[in-house]
Amino acid sequence: MKIIMKIMITATLVAAVSCQNGDREKNGKESFNYSVDRFADIEVLRYQVTGFEELTLNQKQLLYHLSEAALMGRDILFDQNNRYNLAIRRGLELLYSTYEGDRNDEQFKGLETYLKRVWFSNGIHHHYSMDKFVPGFSREFFWEAVRGADPSKLPLREGQTVDQWLAEITPVIFDMDVMSKRVVQSGDEDLIVSSANNYYGEGVTQAEVDAFYAGMKDPNDDTPISYGLNSRLVKENGILKEIVWKVGGLYTEALENIVAELRKAVPFAENDAQRAVIEKLIEFNESGNLADFDEYAILWVKDLDSEVDFVNGFTETYGDPLGIKASWESVVNFKNNEATKRTAIISENAQWFEDNSPTDDKFKKDQVKGVSAKVITVAMLGGDCYPASPIGINLPNSDWIRAAHGSKSVTIENITEAYDKATQGSGFAPEFYWSDVERELVKKYGFLTGNLHTDLHECLGHGSGKILPGVDPDALKAYGSTIEEARADLFALYYLADDKMIELGLVNDKEAYKAEYYVYMMNGMMSQLVRVELGKNIEEAHMRNRQLIAMWAYEKGKADNVVEYRIRDGKTYVVVNDYEKLRDLFGQLLVEVQRIRSEGDYEAGRALVENYGVKVDQRLHAEVLERYAGLNLAPYKGFVNPVMKQVTDANGNVTDVVLDYNESYVDQMMRYSRDYSYLPTYN
Ligand code: ZN
């Protein structure tokens, strides 16, 4: 699997951390209402686009058109996640908006919650666990509601009756054995056949996919395209073939609109470099040619002077167990110049960090190229970044482009800030932290070291090290993403405790790193289990990585009692006894994980992940879930976008672009489904 770039939130579970940064207080954010909605295991927040008003009209118009384009790919992601997602979403939206029975009835409420979950996960599978949702309403209620709806508005197939549609859709919603998991990661099943995503046609097996793409790769090609990134692989008459996502190909209805909107953005480009990026992206959407995509990625990574920036397209591959096919996503943003001073210091010293890493010299980059890092303010999220948003992004994903041209790494601080504000006073720290010492430490330094962890992870961690010549970048297969995330996390953890942090002025207290160490260990050894159902193993790559690191350090440090579980009043706590030795252990594991990645040592990678990252202590898990339930918190969070509107004068000229934060979650989802839905139901 290729390098994984997006890190998910650890800060969700970091409670009650205060602001380190004086000017955060001055922005008058205390009056901003972060919480929007709450259902199932989800809390929906809103984020504030601080600094938007101060941008030039030109920049605002650029952001406007990029934001429109960001919303236009939503249906693509629904269809990629499962081939029935659009049918189910559209059917349920029809019922939701036209149902004339008792809307306070338990059955209707169950349908409403289910629909809210489908919107949140861009489909019928949980966005994190990948398990299919269990509906909180009955088949009988569903049938009755569907039969009472206007059949001309139901998403029927051509010539299909309502009863035929019900026969097709009902098992997909209600039968838990049908399409039960979107992405199956475990090593012993056919990952393609058992995964419910829509990246591969019916009857395509994992062995066939492996062979198909192995056959395309040329081992002597130093600049390989990202084979298979933008297509569905299907079998027709026994022959495998790619159906490419492009204008004139699959998903053309959405991509045509995206291209038209990108064209509107071009005149507002801030400079020639940015204009070239947008134009090349248009070209790629039209050609579907992955060599164009690489050219676009190179132009994008070199565009460093623009204030406004964006991602729009087929980018990350978490949704494919083999890491080949990319989901559609978009992030529209502009630079936070003040906070970027912090990441600028880190990227300017990238070579020092590489040279001084404990890893074997033969796995180091002689020359770290163009690691650019910035802190950004998001103005619009779309596709696979919405509503559940990353807090940091590092792109492009192509190994050779990263080596030859560098990468751009961002920390999304208005998102981390919203998480931070929303968890303050949640009761999490009093319940799970061992003592006031840890609570004070995290309160004092948690926000800063959490952001620094993200900076180091994205900007240096993923960008560090190299794969030895001749080693297949995908050699670690299903374990690749977990190992890659572990590598980036370990790099960050190791350096957070380094004197260099003080020397560079990034922290002013030698003890500050302990805040992140404590939170990381407590999370990995215990509290992240709130996101896993009792009886299940850990599946998601970032969670596996965090448990892998924490449990490995716990096991290896046992002899010296570096970290321990302690029981008080029948409750389990994590206590770190020796932070310096813990740092040493992180360094040792970094050495091994870098070796595994550089040499493509599949067996060692598999053993690490399976031994430390997957299995869950059932007793502890039950305890954590019970304590967490008592806090009445949502383990997952996501965001609504602001409503972005153009203001025009009497002659129709745009005079301003304004943001409105008052839209509810349901209203936003219904509006997006009405205004930005281009695809046929069945693709
Ligand atoms: Zn990462």
Side-chain angles (χ1 to χ4, degrees):
M1 189 145 182
K2 68 184 174 45
I3 296 188
I4 299 300
M5 301 306 153
K6 192 161 59 179
I7 90 160
M8 302 299 288
I9 185 77
T10 49
T12 318
L13 301 172
V14 180
V17 294
S18 70
C19 289
Q20 292 302 304
N21 195 336
D23 54 42
R24 304 170 72 83
E25 305 293 330
K26 280 184 258 152
N27 293 330
K29 292 188 180 158
E30 274 49 55
S31 59
F32 190 77
N33 185 9
Y34 285 92
S35 193
V36 178
D37 205 344
R38 176 77 205 266
F39 51 88
D41 54 359
I42 302 290
E43 183 177 14
V44 180
L45 307 173
R46 55 169 64 86
Y47 58 89
Q48 192 167 22
V49 191
T50 307
F52 184 82
E53 288 73 20
E54 285 77 55
L55 299 171
T56 66
L57 179 57
N58 198 71
Q59 289 172 323
K60 286 179 188 174
Q61 285 177 277
L62 176 60
L63 285 166
Y64 175 82
H65 292 296
L66 294 174
S67 293
E68 287 291 295
L71 301 178
M72 291 171 168
R74 178 167 172 256
D75 282 357
I76 296 177
L77 180 67
F78 269 83
D79 193 71
Q80 288 180 315
N81 283 344
N82 183 270
R83 67 181 189 270
Y84 286 107
N85 279 339
L86 286 171
I88 291 171
R89 190 191 83 198
R90 287 172 178 167
L92 293 177
E93 284 171 349
L94 177 68
L95 303 184
Y96 186 69
S97 52
T98 61
Y99 184 70
E100 287 178 347
D102 179 5
R103 296 177 76 91
N104 288 314
D105 180 73
E106 285 303 310
Q107 289 291 324
F108 184 81
K109 288 275 166 207
L111 183 143
E112 179 182 42
T113 300
Y114 184 85
L115 176 57
K116 284 183 173 185
R117 301 183 82 181
V118 167
W119 282 329
F120 193 91
S121 293
N122 296 287
I124 58 172
H125 300 90
H126 193 279
H127 71 291
Y128 214 78
S129 74
M130 306 290 163
D131 292 324
K132 199 162 86 171
F133 295 132
V134 180
F137 56 103
S138 67
R139 289 165 204 250
E140 292 71 22
F141 175 79
F142 178 63
W143 293 338
E144 201 185 307
V146 168
R147 286 174 180 142
D150 179 351
S152 72
K153 294 194 171 132
L154 278 170
L156 308 176
R157 289 183 193 272
E158 185 123 355
Q160 197 175 33
T161 67
V162 172
D163 280 349
Q164 285 167 340
W165 186 77
L166 281 175
E168 187 178 359
I169 294 296
T170 300
V172 182
I173 297 179
F174 292 94
D175 187 341
M176 288 305 116
D177 295 331
V178 174
M179 299 184 166
S180 54
K181 202 166 196 100
R182 175 154 68 84
V183 187
V184 174
Q185 302 269 17
S186 92
D188 38 1
E189 291 173 77
D190 184 310
L191 304 180
I192 296 302
V193 173
S194 53
S195 294
N197 65 46
N198 195 18
Y199 292 119
Y200 301 92
E202 294 210 52
V204 178
T205 67
Q206 186 178 349
E208 287 171 333
V209 176
D210 283 340
F212 184 83
Y213 287 109
M216 280 188 175
K217 287 179 188 170
D218 171 3
N220 299 316
D221 184 356
D222 294 336
T223 60
I225 57 169
S226 301
Y227 291 100
L229 189 76
N230 65 333
S231 61
R232 184 188 293 162
L233 185 65
V234 300
K235 211 194 278 185
E236 279 179 11
N237 305 320
I239 310 237
L240 289 170
K241 89 177 231 216
E242 289 185 327
I243 307 179
V244 177
W245 308 323
K246 61 170 191 165
V247 172
L250 192 51
Y251 302 143
T252 186
E253 301 86 351
L255 293 169
E256 284 166 33
N257 281 280
I258 289 165
V259 162
E261 199 62 40
L262 291 173
R263 281 197 212 290
K264 292 184 197 169
V266 170
F268 301 105
E270 294 174 274
N271 50 57
D272 290 344
Q274 188 174 55
R275 186 171 304 112
V277 171
I278 302 172
E279 285 172 345
K280 189 50 94 172
L281 180 60
I282 291 170
E283 199 180 324
F284 167 62
N285 274 306
E286 290 178 331
S287 73
N289 181 346
L290 286 163
D292 287 338
F293 180 70
D294 283 352
E295 283 182 42
Y296 151 76
I298 292 164
L299 289 169
W300 180 80
V301 85
K302 286 180 175 166
D303 173 20
L304 297 173
D305 295 332
S306 307
E307 296 273 309
V308 171
D309 205 351
F310 74 107
V311 174
N312 181 305
F314 304 106
T315 310
E316 303 284 2
T317 58
Y318 301 100
D320 173 1
L322 299 182
I324 296 167
K325 310 288 175 192
S327 61
W328 194 95
E329 71 172 38
S330 186
V331 177
V332 180
N333 63 85
F334 56 93
K335 208 185 278 181
N336 175 339
N337 285 308
E338 184 56 35
T340 292
K341 288 174 187 164
R342 184 182 77 219
T343 54
I345 293 172
I346 292 172
S347 54
E348 278 158 20
N349 289 277
Q351 192 67 51
W352 185 92
F353 286 103
E354 182 77 355
D355 293 345
N356 288 276
S357 142
T359 56
D360 194 311
D361 283 342
K362 67 175 179 276
F363 305 139
K364 288 180 184 174
K365 281 199 173 105
D366 301 330
Q367 224 187 345
V368 182
K369 282 215 179 103
V371 181
S372 77
K374 60 184 174 180
V375 178
I376 60 166
T377 302
V378 148
M380 198 61 69
L381 300 165
D384 219 357
C385 294
Y386 168 87
S389 164
I391 57 172
I393 300 174
N394 184 321
L395 292 170
N397 282 334
S398 161
D399 282 312
W400 76 263
I401 295 178
R402 299 168 66 79
H405 302 281
S407 65
K408 255 201 276 196
S409 161
V410 301
T411 302
I412 311 176
E413 206 156 294
N414 61 330
I415 295 294
T416 62
E417 176 176 47
Y419 278 126
D420 183 39
K421 296 275 185 186
T423 44
Q424 281 181 27
S426 67
F428 183 84
E431 179 61 43
F432 286 103
Y433 291 11
W434 169 245
S435 75
D436 284 342
V437 174
E438 288 82 7
R439 281 190 282 274
E440 283 305 312
L441 198 60
V442 175
K443 196 171 168 188
K444 202 167 172 192
Y445 294 116
F447 187 75
L448 174 67
T449 55
N451 277 330
L452 277 170
H453 179 110
T454 307
D455 298 339
L456 292 165
H457 173 113
E458 296 292 351
C459 158
L460 300 182
H462 281 307
S464 71
K466 68 178 176 196
I467 297 174
L468 292 185
V471 171
D472 179 355
D474 297 333
L476 301 176
K477 300 187 190 294
Y479 300 102
S481 41
T482 299
I483 290 294
E484 176 56 24
E485 290 308 318
R487 202 174 69 83
D489 260 359
L490 287 162
F491 200 94
L493 289 165
Y494 178 78
Y495 275 119
L496 260 180
D498 202 279
D499 288 342
K500 194 77 178 174
M501 291 286 121
I502 305 265
E503 187 193 309
L504 294 174
L506 295 167
V507 294
N508 55 19
D509 184 339
K510 269 184 79 77
E511 311 289 294
Y513 77 93
K514 294 180 181 174
E516 178 65 13
Y517 274 31
Y518 184 74
V519 169
Y520 196 93
M521 293 302 288
M522 205 273 303
N523 186 49
M525 288 170 68
M526 197 164 90
S527 65
Q528 73 166 354
L529 295 177
V530 303
R531 297 173 156 210
V532 179
E533 239 177 89
L534 194 59
K536 296 219 155 123
N537 285 333
I538 297 179
E539 298 274 346
E540 199 277 334
H542 296 82
M543 286 184 70
R544 284 184 167 186
N545 138 54
R546 291 183 201 124
Q547 178 170 299
L548 185 171
I549 292 173
M551 292 308 291
W552 187 94
Y554 165 69
E555 291 287 341
K556 299 292 168 185
K558 255 183 182 167
D560 297 326
N561 201 23
V562 176
V563 183
E564 64 179 322
Y565 285 114
R566 242 184 254 178
I567 312 285
R568 184 176 62 208
D569 301 334
K571 291 179 175 179
T572 309
Y573 296 87
V574 169
V575 181
V576 178
N577 294 313
D578 191 332
Y579 283 95
E580 282 174 35
K581 282 203 177 120
L582 181 55
R583 190 213 180 192
D584 191 51
L585 289 166
F586 288 151
Q588 288 174 36
L589 186 56
L590 174 59
V591 170
E592 172 64 0
V593 166
Q594 182 63 58
R595 182 196 68 74
I596 290 169
R597 170 92 171 119
S598 292
E599 296 179 349
D601 187 342
Y602 174 82
E603 264 315 308
R606 190 195 61 79
L608 257 189
V609 176
E610 292 289 349
N611 291 340
Y612 296 99
V614 177
K615 289 178 211 77
V616 175
D617 178 328
Q618 295 299 310
R619 192 212 59 75
L620 180 63
H621 192 184
E623 181 198 320
V624 167
L625 288 176
E626 195 188 326
R627 287 163 68 185
Y628 190 74
L631 299 173
N632 197 28
L633 299 175
Y636 302 96
K637 293 178 171 58
F639 295 86
V640 289
N641 286 313
V643 183
M644 196 180 279
K645 286 188 200 135
Q646 289 182 318
V647 181
T648 49
D649 65 15
N651 301 320
N653 298 315
V654 176
T655 56
D656 201 2
V657 178
V658 293
L659 300 178
D660 181 335
Y661 296 103
N662 293 313
E663 192 168 43
S664 75
Y665 176 67
V666 170
D667 287 349
Q668 181 153 104
M669 289 299 179
M670 291 298 276
R671 180 169 65 89
Y672 286 180
S673 294
R674 188 188 66 224
D675 295 348
Y676 300 96
S677 190
Y678 305 103
L679 294 188
T681 301
Y682 307 95
N683 292 277

